[in-house]
Amino acid sequence: MITSPAKAIDLLGGHRAVAPAIKRPLTTVASWFSRNSIPVEAWSDLIKLAKARKVAGFTYESLAQAHAKAKAIRANTDRSAA
């Protein structure tokens, strides 16, 4: 189950496995992981990779929900730090 953008990358094998599979630089995918945010334009590549690797639960909806949750957590963290 995708609970966060970083978890999505983990479920696909981690940033070292995902980067070459979707033909993106390792540093790019690693930054997505560390920021807990994957750009929308990469979602289709991740969904295709998940299908190829038979990893269930990868849809545009599940990625959008994970992003919304991560964004809400960041917003709450920012408010409490202020």
Side-chain angles (χ1 to χ4, degrees):
M1 177 178 197
I2 300 172
T3 55
S4 70
K7 179 67 173 176
I9 293 169
D10 271 343
L11 289 170
L12 293 172
H15 62 276
R16 291 186 186 280
V18 171
I22 64 169
K23 298 178 176 74
R24 302 285 177 111
L26 177 60
T27 55
T28 297
V29 180
S31 71
W32 298 345
F33 182 85
S34 66
R35 285 191 327 247
N36 200 25
S37 180
I38 302 166
V40 174
E41 58 270 10
W43 291 7
S44 63
D45 291 334
L46 296 178
I47 292 168
K48 289 175 193 172
L49 180 59
K51 285 182 182 179
R53 294 187 176 175
K54 300 184 187 325
V55 178
F58 271 78
T59 63
Y60 286 101
E61 183 177 358
S62 65
L63 287 168
Q65 288 172 347
H67 271 270
K69 183 178 175 181
K71 185 175 180 178
I73 290 169
R74 282 192 302 272
N76 285 336
T77 301
D78 292 346
R79 277 189 224 128
S80 65

